[in-house]
Amino acid sequence: MQFLKSFYIHNVFFRYIAILSASFILSYWIPVLYPITWLLSILLITLFLFDAYLLYTAKKGIVASRILPKKLSNSDLNPVLIKFESHYAFLTQVSIIDELPAQFQKRDFDHKISLTKGEKKEFKYTVRPVDRGEYVFGNLIVFASSPLKIIKRKFVFQKDQMVPVYPSIIQMQQYDFLAINNRLTEIGLKKIRRIGHTQEFEQIKEYVQGDDFRTVNWKATAKRNQLMVNQYQDERSQPIYSVIDTGRVMKMPFNGLKLLDYAINSALAFSNVALKRNDKTGMIAFSKKIESFVPAIQKITHLNTILEKLYNINTQFTDADYGMLYAHVKRNVNQRSLLLLYTNFEHISALKRQLPFLSAIAKKHVLVVIFFENTELDTLISKDAQDLQTIYHKTIAEKFTLEKRLMQKELQKYGIQTILTKPENLTMNTINKYLEIKARGLL
């Protein structure tokens, strides 16, 4: 039974059959072909049996394995490595089929290669998931054939290998690496000029040339009989929360990725940067209720807690309750904090319904409302209008784009910081705003 499951006819064999069939037909008019065709048929049967002998004498003719990362990174290109080795004594033609998870909707995977005796090779390809969750890789199937190409032997390895897809760990590591090497400007992060200095006192030290005269400590100067100055440092351990709206407005997809996943990837990368800058980070996810709440803590290991919470967030089909969010923040976030609210408003009327709650939150905390440009509308607006219908579509698209700008102005009028961004620039713009707020001492 196992033999029959692994036994396949090579496509080339059917070409041989087609040639023999044509020869038998032609032998009706050319009789001399008839005995020759029978000899070729016997030869083909002999080669068929010999090919089967070659492929099945070695118990493990091909050995292959698939090596997956422990976690796949959402929205990024993740490498998958396949290793294989031939134990056959002849040049082997190998066809590899990897059964990808159903989420990828890809059924045409096929990689062909040749292997000599004892040769080891590797093959690497990439996958780009656009949803978080568990991804199950099916069988790793290898078809081996000899140079005769009459039959193929099927080998099956590593059935049902599961790997979870987490928020973009690759993106987080990218920003982390560039921050450590002070190369953030390469990806668009701006250097913010510091206005004055922050008020977190560090120490009193002797004056050296270049120190600001405004920081002279006259009492310490009188005691020591020499100029002494106060030294300040950046304020640290300030609580910062990523607040994620999981309502229906965040289900809108751009480039295959939902707005919610853009927000989750940004929250993870931003939380990592904030922790490295010695601030406390936390997270709130809400819709009709508080889906998840992680208090702000200043521990680098705290990032794993945030990562696990972000992994389990899903969008809801209801509108988010901002009144409930305000009540939760009032009860549970007692210290003045920076709240980065990831949401989306498509109409100014929707914003005005939530504005009383947003302005109430902004009275005690530094609130940054982050919402998204509709890049599909930009494409429509940039097209030349050729007929009346296109003019109508362009006019409606421009109206929606203008409303986004008006929403931004409306929020700023109430002292609420805003970020209006394209989905793909979300992380960069969020970190820029964080650095700006820290530099200006607004928190």
Side-chain angles (χ1 to χ4, degrees), residues 132 243-253 258-261 263-264 284-291 313-322 324-325 341-345 354 372:
R132 286 162 291 115
V243 185
I244 303 174
D245 180 352
T246 64
R248 63 179 180 84
V249 295
M250 298 295 279
K251 291 185 75 72
M252 189 181 295
K258 294 192 291 287
L259 291 181
L260 177 67
D261 286 301
I264 287 172
I284 303 172
F286 74 104
S287 57
K288 278 294 184 185
K289 61 179 182 178
I290 299 297
E291 305 288 342
I313 291 176
N314 283 307
T315 49
Q316 307 297 321
F317 289 94
T318 57
D319 288 322
D321 187 344
Y322 281 80
M324 179 269 305
L325 173 66
L341 173 59
Y342 296 91
T343 186
N344 197 36
F345 298 107
Q354 314 302 343
F372 299 88

Side-chain angles (χ1 to χ4, degrees), residues 2 5 64 99 138-142 154-159:
Q2 191 67 31
K5 285 183 178 180
E99 294 181 345
N139 295 325
L140 175 61
I141 301 171
V142 178
K154 178 182 177 182
F155 297 89
V156 180
F157 305 95
Q158 291 181 295
K159 180 177 175 60

Side-chain angles (χ1 to χ4, degrees), residues 140-166:
L140 175 61
I141 301 171
V142 178
F143 289 98
S145 58
S146 72
L148 295 174
K149 295 183 179 180
I150 295 176
I151 67 171
K152 296 189 291 185
R153 183 179 176 184
K154 178 182 177 182
F155 297 89
V156 180
F157 305 95
Q158 291 181 295
K159 180 177 175 60
D160 295 341
Q161 195 176 3
M162 193 281 289
V163 60
V165 174
Y166 272 74

Side-chain angles (χ1 to χ4, degrees), residues 334-346:
N334 300 317
Q335 186 179 349
R336 179 175 170 83
S337 306
L338 172 60
L339 305 179
L340 296 167
L341 173 59
Y342 296 91
T343 186
N344 197 36
F345 298 107
E346 287 298 324

Side-chain angles (χ1 to χ4, degrees), residues 311-369:
Y311 171 71
N312 291 303
I313 291 176
N314 283 307
T315 49
Q316 307 297 321
F317 289 94
T318 57
D319 288 322
D321 187 344
Y322 281 80
M324 179 269 305
L325 173 66
Y326 166 67
H328 179 81
V329 170
K330 188 175 181 180
R331 284 195 306 268
N332 297 282
V333 185
N334 300 317
Q335 186 179 349
R336 179 175 170 83
S337 306
L338 172 60
L339 305 179
L340 296 167
L341 173 59
Y342 296 91
T343 186
N344 197 36
F345 298 107
E346 287 298 324
H347 304 281
I348 198 164
S349 59
L351 171 64
K352 286 184 176 179
R353 285 197 300 270
Q354 314 302 343
L355 202 52
F357 304 113
L358 296 176
S359 59
I361 294 172
K363 286 178 182 177
K364 185 176 179 182
H365 305 280
V366 178
L367 176 62
V368 180
V369 175

Side-chain angles (χ1 to χ4, degrees), residues 202-386:
E202 184 178 15
Q203 64 176 345
I204 300 173
K205 69 179 187 71
E206 294 181 9
Y207 172 82
V208 295
Q209 189 173 357
D211 282 338
D212 190 346
F213 282 112
R214 292 173 295 180
T215 62
V216 172
N217 187 318
W218 295 109
K219 287 185 179 180
T221 298
K223 288 180 181 178
R224 296 287 298 274
N225 201 27
Q226 61 177 333
L227 277 175
M228 304 293 291
V229 293
N230 294 332
Q231 185 173 345
Y232 299 91
Q233 64 178 358
D234 288 345
E235 291 190 61
R236 299 180 178 184
S237 298
Q238 294 177 303
I240 297 166
Y241 285 88
S242 297
V243 185
I244 303 174
D245 180 352
T246 64
R248 63 179 180 84
V249 295
M250 298 295 279
K251 291 185 75 72
M252 189 181 295
F254 287 92
N255 295 327
L257 201 66
K258 294 192 291 287
L259 291 181
L260 177 67
D261 286 301
Y262 281 109
I264 287 172
N265 290 344
S266 173
L268 180 63
F270 162 75
S271 297
N272 181 53
V273 170
L275 282 170
K276 292 292 176 67
R277 293 176 68 87
N278 299 304
D279 280 323
K280 301 175 184 177
T281 59
M283 189 268 293
I284 303 172
F286 74 104
S287 57
K288 278 294 184 185
K289 61 179 182 178
I290 299 297
E291 305 288 342
S292 182
F293 174 61
V294 180
I297 298 175
Q298 186 194 342
K299 287 182 181 178
I300 199 64
T301 54
H302 185 55
L303 192 65
N304 291 327
T305 305
I306 294 175
L307 177 62
E308 291 298 329
K309 293 292 184 181
L310 291 173
Y311 171 71
N312 291 303
I313 291 176
N314 283 307
T315 49
Q316 307 297 321
F317 289 94
T318 57
D319 288 322
D321 187 344
Y322 281 80
M324 179 269 305
L325 173 66
Y326 166 67
H328 179 81
V329 170
K330 188 175 181 180
R331 284 195 306 268
N332 297 282
V333 185
N334 300 317
Q335 186 179 349
R336 179 175 170 83
S337 306
L338 172 60
L339 305 179
L340 296 167
L341 173 59
Y342 296 91
T343 186
N344 197 36
F345 298 107
E346 287 298 324
H347 304 281
I348 198 164
S349 59
L351 171 64
K352 286 184 176 179
R353 285 197 300 270
Q354 314 302 343
L355 202 52
F357 304 113
L358 296 176
S359 59
I361 294 172
K363 286 178 182 177
K364 185 176 179 182
H365 305 280
V366 178
L367 176 62
V368 180
V369 175
I370 305 167
F371 57 111
F372 299 88
E373 295 179 16
N374 192 327
T375 52
E376 299 294 331
L377 293 181
D378 294 340
T379 305
L380 184 60
I381 292 169
S382 63
K383 286 184 179 178
D384 293 330
Q386 302 294 335

